[in-house]
Amino acid sequence: VKNRRGEGSRLREDILRGAAELLDQTGQEQAVTLRAVARQIGIAAPSIYGHFPNRESILLATVQQAFAELTEQLQCAQTAAGTDPGARLRAVSAAYLDFARLRPQRYRAMFGGAWDTTGAVRAGAVSYAEAVALGQDALTVIVEAVRACVDAGDSASTDPVGDAVSLWVALHGLAHQRAVIPNFPWPEGIADRLVQRLAQLQWHAAAHEPVMAPGQGEPPTP
Amino acid sequence: VKNRRGEGSRLREDILRGAAELLDQTGQEQAVTLRAVARQIGIAAPSIYGHFPNRESILLATVQQAFAELTEQLQCAQTAAGTDPGARLRAVSAAYLDFARLRPQRYRAMFGGAWDTTGAVRAGAVSYAEAVALGQDALTVIVEAVRACVDAGDSASTDPVGDAVSLWVALHGLAHQRAVIPNFPWPEGIADRLVQRLAQLQWHAAAHEPVMAPGQGEPPTP
DNA sequence: TGTACATCAGTGAACGCGCGTTCACTGATGTAC
DNA sequence: TGTACATCAGTGAACGCGCGTTCACTGATGTAC
C-alpha cells in the first residue's frame, strides 16, 4: 500500500520507527541493517533510498531523534515537578534514569554503540559541532536545573556547571550499567544519593523533605 | 611458521592479542571477525578453530582478559600508593580512569559493546554468575578501598558498599563518556570531585592534602 | 639403530548466507492544454 | 470535458563482497617397537 502523492515523507518516519524498534528489540547496532529495517516496516529494501542516502544516515537520524526525545522528556518532567528547584532537579534526574530504564537498548546505542562520533564525523554525515551538540541539549537542562538550585540557596555548589557535569556523568554511569547489568543488586536510593551529593543539595525550609537514602543520617536543622 | 609441538596454545594468546588490537584500533565489536583476527596475526582463518569453538567465544575471552587486566591494575595502583587509605582510594580511582583513557575503545567494548551479557548467557558460553562476576572483581577493589577509609575514620560513609557502588558507577560514567566524547570540555578536577563526595572523604590530620577541585572551598579544620 | 605410525599444528578451497547498493521497471496520481 | 504526459512512490532482480564454518589435506614432530 503506497502512500498518497505528496505524503512520501511518511515512509521516512516509518523507517526511523522501524530502526528504533530493532534497536529496542535486539540492543545491537548491527541488527539495524537496511534489509532488516525494510522487513520490520514491510517495504522493499531499495525503497529506503528515497529517504536516506545510506545505512549510516538511518542510524544517525535514529540517534538524533532519540536524543531529542530525551531532552523533551527531561523538560516535561521538570515542568511537571512544580516550582521548587530541588524537586525540579530531582525530577529531571529521575526522568533521565527512566528514559534509560524504559529503553535500555536504545539508550546504550545512543551512547557509543550505534552512534560512533568519530565515524560519522569522518564520513561527513555530521559536523563535529553537531556531534557534540547531540548530548548537549540534555546536559543543558541539567545544568540549568542545578543553577536554579544554587540561585534559590538550595545547593551549596560554587561551580554549578562543573557539578552539573559531574551529576550528568554519574547519572549516565548508573543508567548505562543498569542497561548492561540489569540484575545487579543496585543499592537502595543510589540515584538520590548521586543527586544529593553531586549537586550539593542542602536542607531548605521551603523545600520538600529531601529524599535521603537509608542510613544517610538526618539533614542538618536549619 | 608453525609453533613447535606442545606449544600450540601459544596461538591462542596470539588470537586474543589480535582481537584486542582490532578492538583498540577500530573501537567496534563488529570489526573483530574471525577472518580479521586471522589476518591481524597472519594465520589462516580455520586455524582459529583449534583454539576457539566460534567467534563469540573469542570476544568473550577477550573481554574476560580485559577485565582481569583492569582488576590487576587497580590492585597494583593501590599497593603503590602506600598505606594512607584516602590516598589508596584516590589511586584506585585514578587507575580506573587511566585504564579507560589508555584503551578507550576496548573499555567501551568491555561494557556493553562487545560483550552482550544476555547474548553470551543465552548461548550458554558463560553462566549468569560468571557474567556478573566479570565486573565484580574490579568493583570489589573499590569497595574494600572505601571500607578502609571508613575504618580509618577518613570517610563519613555509613554505607561503604552503597557508596562504593555509587563511586564505581560515577567513575564508569566519566570513563565511558570520555571514551565516546573525547573532546568534551570536562571540568577541572571532576574525578577528584566524584571521589571526594561519593566516598565522603573527610579532612584527616594524618592524610595528605585532599585533592580539591578549584572553587570547592577549604576543607573544614579538624 | 632404523622405521612405521600416530599426533599435532595449521592450511586452501569451498559452501551458503545476508548484506549494501544499483538498475531498470511499474503503476497510480496529479497537471497542462 | 477529455487526454497526453510528467512526476511520484515504491518494487524485483541482480551484483559483488566478506562473513562463519566445514572439509579433506599437508607436513613436521614425536614415539613404539
Short mmCIF file of all heavy atoms in Angstrom, two decimals, chain B residues 158-208:
data_model
loop_
_atom_site.label_atom_id
_atom_site.label_comp_id
_atom_site.label_asym_id
_atom_site.label_seq_id
_atom_site.Cartn_x
_atom_site.Cartn_y
_atom_site.Cartn_z
N THR B 158 28.30 5.83 56.04
CA THR B 158 27.68 4.84 56.92
C THR B 158 27.21 3.63 56.11
O THR B 158 26.57 2.73 56.63
CB THR B 158 26.46 5.45 57.63
OG1 THR B 158 25.54 5.94 56.66
CG2 THR B 158 26.90 6.57 58.55
N ASP B 159 27.51 3.64 54.82
CA ASP B 159 27.12 2.54 53.94
C ASP B 159 28.22 2.36 52.91
O ASP B 159 28.08 2.76 51.75
CB ASP B 159 25.78 2.88 53.25
CG ASP B 159 25.36 1.83 52.25
OD1 ASP B 159 25.96 0.73 52.24
OD2 ASP B 159 24.44 2.10 51.45
N PRO B 160 29.34 1.77 53.32
CA PRO B 160 30.52 1.70 52.43
C PRO B 160 30.22 1.02 51.11
O PRO B 160 30.69 1.47 50.06
CB PRO B 160 31.53 0.91 53.26
CG PRO B 160 31.10 1.05 54.67
CD PRO B 160 29.60 1.17 54.64
N VAL B 161 29.45 -0.06 51.15
CA VAL B 161 29.18 -0.77 49.89
C VAL B 161 28.37 0.12 48.96
O VAL B 161 28.71 0.28 47.78
CB VAL B 161 28.43 -2.10 50.16
CG1 VAL B 161 28.02 -2.74 48.85
CG2 VAL B 161 29.30 -3.04 50.97
N GLY B 162 27.29 0.70 49.50
CA GLY B 162 26.46 1.56 48.66
C GLY B 162 27.24 2.74 48.11
O GLY B 162 27.11 3.09 46.93
N ASP B 163 28.07 3.33 48.94
CA ASP B 163 28.84 4.48 48.46
C ASP B 163 29.90 4.06 47.46
O ASP B 163 30.19 4.79 46.51
CB ASP B 163 29.47 5.21 49.65
CG ASP B 163 28.42 6.02 50.43
OD1 ASP B 163 27.34 6.27 49.85
OD2 ASP B 163 28.68 6.37 51.58
N ALA B 164 30.48 2.87 47.65
CA ALA B 164 31.47 2.39 46.70
C ALA B 164 30.82 2.11 45.35
O ALA B 164 31.39 2.42 44.30
CB ALA B 164 32.15 1.12 47.23
N VAL B 165 29.62 1.56 45.38
CA VAL B 165 28.91 1.31 44.12
C VAL B 165 28.60 2.64 43.44
O VAL B 165 28.74 2.79 42.22
CB VAL B 165 27.63 0.49 44.36
CG1 VAL B 165 26.79 0.42 43.09
CG2 VAL B 165 27.97 -0.91 44.85
N SER B 166 28.19 3.63 44.22
CA SER B 166 27.92 4.96 43.66
C SER B 166 29.17 5.50 42.98
O SER B 166 29.12 6.02 41.87
CB SER B 166 27.48 5.93 44.76
OG SER B 166 26.33 5.47 45.41
N LEU B 167 30.29 5.36 43.69
CA LEU B 167 31.55 5.87 43.13
C LEU B 167 31.92 5.12 41.85
O LEU B 167 32.30 5.72 40.85
CB LEU B 167 32.67 5.71 44.17
CG LEU B 167 34.08 6.07 43.69
CD1 LEU B 167 34.15 7.49 43.16
CD2 LEU B 167 35.10 5.85 44.81
N TRP B 168 31.75 3.81 41.89
CA TRP B 168 32.09 2.99 40.72
C TRP B 168 31.24 3.42 39.52
O TRP B 168 31.75 3.62 38.41
CB TRP B 168 31.85 1.52 41.04
CG TRP B 168 31.95 0.60 39.87
CD1 TRP B 168 33.01 0.44 39.04
CD2 TRP B 168 30.94 -0.30 39.42
NE1 TRP B 168 32.73 -0.51 38.08
CE2 TRP B 168 31.47 -0.98 38.29
CE3 TRP B 168 29.65 -0.63 39.84
CZ2 TRP B 168 30.74 -1.94 37.59
CZ3 TRP B 168 28.94 -1.59 39.16
CH2 TRP B 168 29.48 -2.23 38.04
N VAL B 169 29.95 3.57 39.77
CA VAL B 169 29.03 3.97 38.70
C VAL B 169 29.44 5.33 38.11
O VAL B 169 29.43 5.52 36.90
CB VAL B 169 27.60 4.01 39.26
CG1 VAL B 169 26.75 5.02 38.54
CG2 VAL B 169 26.97 2.62 39.20
N ALA B 170 29.82 6.24 39.00
CA ALA B 170 30.21 7.57 38.53
C ALA B 170 31.52 7.52 37.76
O ALA B 170 31.67 8.17 36.71
CB ALA B 170 30.32 8.53 39.71
N LEU B 171 32.47 6.74 38.26
CA LEU B 171 33.75 6.60 37.54
C LEU B 171 33.50 5.99 36.16
O LEU B 171 34.08 6.42 35.16
CB LEU B 171 34.72 5.72 38.33
CG LEU B 171 35.30 6.32 39.62
CD1 LEU B 171 36.13 5.26 40.35
CD2 LEU B 171 36.16 7.54 39.30
N HIS B 172 32.63 4.99 36.14
CA HIS B 172 32.31 4.37 34.86
C HIS B 172 31.69 5.39 33.91
O HIS B 172 32.04 5.45 32.73
CB HIS B 172 31.36 3.20 35.04
CG HIS B 172 30.74 2.74 33.76
ND1 HIS B 172 31.46 2.13 32.76
CD2 HIS B 172 29.47 2.85 33.28
CE1 HIS B 172 30.68 1.88 31.74
NE2 HIS B 172 29.46 2.30 32.03
N GLY B 173 30.76 6.19 34.42
CA GLY B 173 30.12 7.20 33.58
C GLY B 173 31.14 8.15 32.99
O GLY B 173 31.11 8.45 31.79
N LEU B 174 32.08 8.59 33.81
CA LEU B 174 33.10 9.52 33.33
C LEU B 174 34.01 8.82 32.31
O LEU B 174 34.29 9.36 31.24
CB LEU B 174 33.92 10.05 34.51
CG LEU B 174 35.06 11.00 34.16
CD1 LEU B 174 34.57 12.19 33.35
CD2 LEU B 174 35.78 11.47 35.43
N ALA B 175 34.45 7.62 32.66
CA ALA B 175 35.35 6.88 31.76
C ALA B 175 34.68 6.63 30.42
O ALA B 175 35.29 6.80 29.35
CB ALA B 175 35.76 5.55 32.41
N HIS B 176 33.42 6.24 30.47
CA HIS B 176 32.70 5.90 29.25
C HIS B 176 32.45 7.13 28.40
O HIS B 176 32.66 7.12 27.18
CB HIS B 176 31.39 5.21 29.64
CG HIS B 176 30.66 4.61 28.49
ND1 HIS B 176 29.53 5.17 27.94
CD2 HIS B 176 30.92 3.50 27.76
CE1 HIS B 176 29.12 4.41 26.94
NE2 HIS B 176 29.94 3.40 26.81
N GLN B 177 32.00 8.20 29.00
CA GLN B 177 31.74 9.42 28.23
C GLN B 177 33.02 9.97 27.64
O GLN B 177 33.03 10.50 26.53
CB GLN B 177 31.06 10.48 29.10
CG GLN B 177 29.63 10.14 29.48
CD GLN B 177 28.65 10.32 28.33
OE1 GLN B 177 29.00 10.13 27.16
NE2 GLN B 177 27.42 10.64 28.66
N ARG B 178 34.10 9.88 28.41
CA ARG B 178 35.38 10.35 27.86
C ARG B 178 35.77 9.55 26.63
O ARG B 178 36.37 10.08 25.70
CB ARG B 178 36.48 10.23 28.92
CG ARG B 178 36.57 11.43 29.84
CD ARG B 178 37.73 11.21 30.80
NE ARG B 178 37.97 12.37 31.62
CZ ARG B 178 38.66 12.34 32.75
NH1 ARG B 178 39.16 11.19 33.18
NH2 ARG B 178 38.86 13.44 33.44
N ALA B 179 35.45 8.26 26.66
CA ALA B 179 35.79 7.42 25.51
C ALA B 179 34.92 7.78 24.31
O ALA B 179 35.37 7.73 23.17
CB ALA B 179 35.61 5.94 25.86
N VAL B 180 33.68 8.17 24.58
CA VAL B 180 32.74 8.44 23.49
C VAL B 180 32.86 9.87 22.97
O VAL B 180 32.77 10.12 21.78
CB VAL B 180 31.29 8.15 23.96
CG1 VAL B 180 30.29 8.54 22.90
CG2 VAL B 180 31.13 6.68 24.32
N ILE B 181 33.01 10.82 23.88
CA ILE B 181 33.12 12.24 23.51
C ILE B 181 34.46 12.76 23.99
O ILE B 181 34.54 13.54 24.93
CB ILE B 181 32.01 13.09 24.16
CG1 ILE B 181 30.70 12.32 24.25
CG2 ILE B 181 31.80 14.39 23.38
CD1 ILE B 181 29.60 13.10 24.94
N PRO B 182 35.56 12.35 23.34
CA PRO B 182 36.88 12.64 23.91
C PRO B 182 37.18 14.13 24.05
O PRO B 182 37.90 14.51 24.96
CB PRO B 182 37.84 11.96 22.93
CG PRO B 182 37.05 11.69 21.71
CD PRO B 182 35.62 11.58 22.11
N ASN B 183 36.62 14.95 23.18
CA ASN B 183 36.99 16.37 23.21
C ASN B 183 36.05 17.25 24.01
O ASN B 183 36.14 18.46 23.94
CB ASN B 183 37.11 16.89 21.78
CG ASN B 183 38.24 16.22 21.04
OD1 ASN B 183 39.16 15.69 21.66
ND2 ASN B 183 38.17 16.24 19.72
N PHE B 184 35.16 16.66 24.74
CA PHE B 184 34.27 17.44 25.58
C PHE B 184 35.08 18.21 26.62
O PHE B 184 36.08 17.70 27.13
CB PHE B 184 33.28 16.50 26.28
CG PHE B 184 32.21 17.20 27.07
CD1 PHE B 184 31.03 17.59 26.46
CD2 PHE B 184 32.39 17.46 28.42
CE1 PHE B 184 30.04 18.23 27.19
CE2 PHE B 184 31.40 18.10 29.15
CZ PHE B 184 30.23 18.49 28.54
N PRO B 185 34.69 19.46 26.91
CA PRO B 185 35.45 20.23 27.91
C PRO B 185 35.14 19.78 29.33
O PRO B 185 34.35 20.40 30.04
CB PRO B 185 34.95 21.68 27.68
CG PRO B 185 33.59 21.53 27.11
CD PRO B 185 33.61 20.27 26.30
N TRP B 186 35.77 18.70 29.75
CA TRP B 186 35.50 18.16 31.08
C TRP B 186 35.98 19.13 32.13
O TRP B 186 37.09 19.66 32.01
CB TRP B 186 36.18 16.80 31.24
CG TRP B 186 35.68 15.81 30.24
CD1 TRP B 186 36.33 15.38 29.13
CD2 TRP B 186 34.39 15.18 30.22
NE1 TRP B 186 35.53 14.50 28.42
CE2 TRP B 186 34.34 14.38 29.08
CE3 TRP B 186 33.29 15.23 31.06
CZ2 TRP B 186 33.22 13.62 28.74
CZ3 TRP B 186 32.17 14.46 30.73
CH2 TRP B 186 32.15 13.68 29.57
N PRO B 187 35.18 19.37 33.15
CA PRO B 187 35.60 20.34 34.18
C PRO B 187 36.87 19.89 34.88
O PRO B 187 37.13 18.69 35.02
CB PRO B 187 34.42 20.34 35.16
CG PRO B 187 33.29 19.66 34.50
CD PRO B 187 33.86 18.80 33.43
N GLU B 188 37.62 20.86 35.31
CA GLU B 188 38.85 20.61 36.07
C GLU B 188 38.53 19.77 37.31
O GLU B 188 37.57 20.05 38.03
CB GLU B 188 39.43 21.97 36.49
CG GLU B 188 40.84 21.92 37.02
CD GLU B 188 41.84 21.99 35.86
OE1 GLU B 188 41.42 22.33 34.72
OE2 GLU B 188 43.00 21.68 36.09
N GLY B 189 39.32 18.75 37.54
CA GLY B 189 39.21 18.01 38.79
C GLY B 189 37.91 17.25 38.97
O GLY B 189 37.52 16.94 40.10
N ILE B 190 37.25 16.90 37.88
CA ILE B 190 35.96 16.22 38.01
C ILE B 190 36.12 14.86 38.69
O ILE B 190 35.27 14.45 39.50
CB ILE B 190 35.26 16.09 36.65
CG1 ILE B 190 33.87 15.47 36.83
CG2 ILE B 190 36.08 15.29 35.66
CD1 ILE B 190 33.03 15.51 35.57
N ALA B 191 37.22 14.18 38.40
CA ALA B 191 37.42 12.86 39.00
C ALA B 191 37.56 12.98 40.52
O ALA B 191 36.92 12.24 41.27
CB ALA B 191 38.65 12.20 38.40
N ASP B 192 38.37 13.92 40.97
CA ASP B 192 38.55 14.10 42.41
C ASP B 192 37.23 14.48 43.08
O ASP B 192 36.95 14.08 44.20
CB ASP B 192 39.60 15.18 42.67
CG ASP B 192 40.98 14.71 42.26
OD1 ASP B 192 41.28 13.52 42.46
OD2 ASP B 192 41.73 15.52 41.70
N ARG B 193 36.46 15.28 42.36
CA ARG B 193 35.17 15.69 42.91
C ARG B 193 34.29 14.47 43.17
O ARG B 193 33.63 14.37 44.20
CB ARG B 193 34.49 16.62 41.90
CG ARG B 193 33.58 17.62 42.52
CD ARG B 193 32.98 18.54 41.48
NE ARG B 193 33.98 19.31 40.74
CZ ARG B 193 33.65 20.35 39.98
NH1 ARG B 193 32.39 20.73 39.88
NH2 ARG B 193 34.58 21.01 39.33
N LEU B 194 34.26 13.55 42.20
CA LEU B 194 33.44 12.35 42.36
C LEU B 194 33.91 11.52 43.54
O LEU B 194 33.12 11.08 44.38
CB LEU B 194 33.49 11.50 41.07
CG LEU B 194 32.92 12.14 39.81
CD1 LEU B 194 33.16 11.25 38.60
CD2 LEU B 194 31.43 12.43 39.96
N VAL B 195 35.22 11.33 43.63
CA VAL B 195 35.76 10.50 44.71
C VAL B 195 35.46 11.14 46.06
O VAL B 195 34.93 10.50 46.98
CB VAL B 195 37.29 10.32 44.55
CG1 VAL B 195 37.84 9.49 45.70
CG2 VAL B 195 37.61 9.67 43.22
N GLN B 196 35.80 12.42 46.17
CA GLN B 196 35.64 13.15 47.42
C GLN B 196 34.21 13.07 47.94
O GLN B 196 33.96 12.76 49.10
CB GLN B 196 36.00 14.62 47.14
CG GLN B 196 36.37 15.41 48.36
CD GLN B 196 37.82 15.14 48.75
OE1 GLN B 196 38.61 14.64 47.95
NE2 GLN B 196 38.14 15.45 49.99
N ARG B 197 33.25 13.34 47.05
CA ARG B 197 31.86 13.47 47.50
C ARG B 197 31.18 12.12 47.66
O ARG B 197 30.42 11.92 48.60
CB ARG B 197 31.07 14.30 46.49
CG ARG B 197 31.67 15.66 46.30
CD ARG B 197 30.64 16.75 46.31
NE ARG B 197 31.31 18.01 46.00
CZ ARG B 197 31.14 18.67 44.88
NH1 ARG B 197 30.29 18.23 43.98
NH2 ARG B 197 31.79 19.80 44.67
N LEU B 198 31.43 11.20 46.73
CA LEU B 198 30.69 9.95 46.79
C LEU B 198 31.26 9.00 47.83
O LEU B 198 30.53 8.23 48.45
CB LEU B 198 30.65 9.29 45.40
CG LEU B 198 29.84 10.11 44.38
CD1 LEU B 198 29.92 9.49 43.00
CD2 LEU B 198 28.40 10.26 44.83
N ALA B 199 32.58 9.07 48.05
CA ALA B 199 33.16 8.25 49.13
C ALA B 199 33.13 9.00 50.44
O ALA B 199 33.59 8.49 51.46
CB ALA B 199 34.59 7.86 48.77
N GLN B 200 32.62 10.24 50.41
CA GLN B 200 32.50 11.07 51.62
C GLN B 200 33.82 11.16 52.36
O GLN B 200 33.87 10.98 53.59
CB GLN B 200 31.40 10.52 52.54
CG GLN B 200 30.07 10.46 51.83
CD GLN B 200 28.93 10.26 52.81
OE1 GLN B 200 28.45 11.19 53.44
NE2 GLN B 200 28.48 9.02 52.91
N LEU B 201 34.89 11.47 51.62
CA LEU B 201 36.20 11.60 52.27
C LEU B 201 36.19 12.85 53.13
O LEU B 201 35.62 13.87 52.79
CB LEU B 201 37.30 11.69 51.21
CG LEU B 201 37.55 10.41 50.42
CD1 LEU B 201 38.80 10.56 49.57
CD2 LEU B 201 37.69 9.22 51.35
N GLN B 202 36.85 12.75 54.25
CA GLN B 202 36.90 13.87 55.19
C GLN B 202 38.33 14.34 55.34
O GLN B 202 39.27 13.62 55.11
CB GLN B 202 36.38 13.42 56.56
CG GLN B 202 34.95 13.01 56.51
CD GLN B 202 34.46 12.63 57.90
OE1 GLN B 202 35.20 12.04 58.67
NE2 GLN B 202 33.23 12.99 58.20
N TRP B 203 38.45 15.59 55.76
CA TRP B 203 39.76 16.09 56.14
C TRP B 203 40.26 15.24 57.29
O TRP B 203 39.53 14.92 58.22
CB TRP B 203 39.67 17.55 56.56
CG TRP B 203 40.99 18.06 57.02
CD1 TRP B 203 41.38 18.32 58.29
CD2 TRP B 203 42.11 18.37 56.19
NE1 TRP B 203 42.67 18.75 58.33
CE2 TRP B 203 43.14 18.80 57.05
CE3 TRP B 203 42.35 18.31 54.83
CZ2 TRP B 203 44.39 19.17 56.58
CZ3 TRP B 203 43.59 18.68 54.36
CH2 TRP B 203 44.59 19.11 55.22
N HIS B 204 41.52 14.87 57.20
CA HIS B 204 42.07 14.00 58.23
C HIS B 204 43.50 14.44 58.48
O HIS B 204 44.28 14.58 57.56
CB HIS B 204 42.03 12.55 57.75
CG HIS B 204 42.43 11.57 58.80
ND1 HIS B 204 43.69 11.09 58.90
CD2 HIS B 204 41.71 10.98 59.79
CE1 HIS B 204 43.74 10.23 59.92
NE2 HIS B 204 42.55 10.15 60.47
N ALA B 205 43.82 14.64 59.75
CA ALA B 205 45.12 15.23 60.10
C ALA B 205 46.28 14.44 59.52
O ALA B 205 47.26 15.01 59.03
CB ALA B 205 45.27 15.31 61.62
N ALA B 206 46.16 13.12 59.52
CA ALA B 206 47.29 12.31 59.10
C ALA B 206 47.35 12.14 57.58
O ALA B 206 48.32 11.65 57.04
CB ALA B 206 47.20 10.92 59.74
N ALA B 207 46.31 12.58 56.89
CA ALA B 207 46.24 12.35 55.45
C ALA B 207 47.00 13.43 54.68
O ALA B 207 47.38 14.46 55.23
CB ALA B 207 44.79 12.34 54.99
N HIS B 208 47.21 13.13 53.41
CA HIS B 208 47.76 14.16 52.52
C HIS B 208 46.73 15.28 52.39
O HIS B 208 45.57 15.12 52.73
CB HIS B 208 47.99 13.59 51.12
CG HIS B 208 48.86 12.39 51.13
ND1 HIS B 208 49.94 12.25 51.97
CD2 HIS B 208 48.81 11.25 50.38
CE1 HIS B 208 50.51 11.08 51.74
NE2 HIS B 208 49.85 10.45 50.79
#
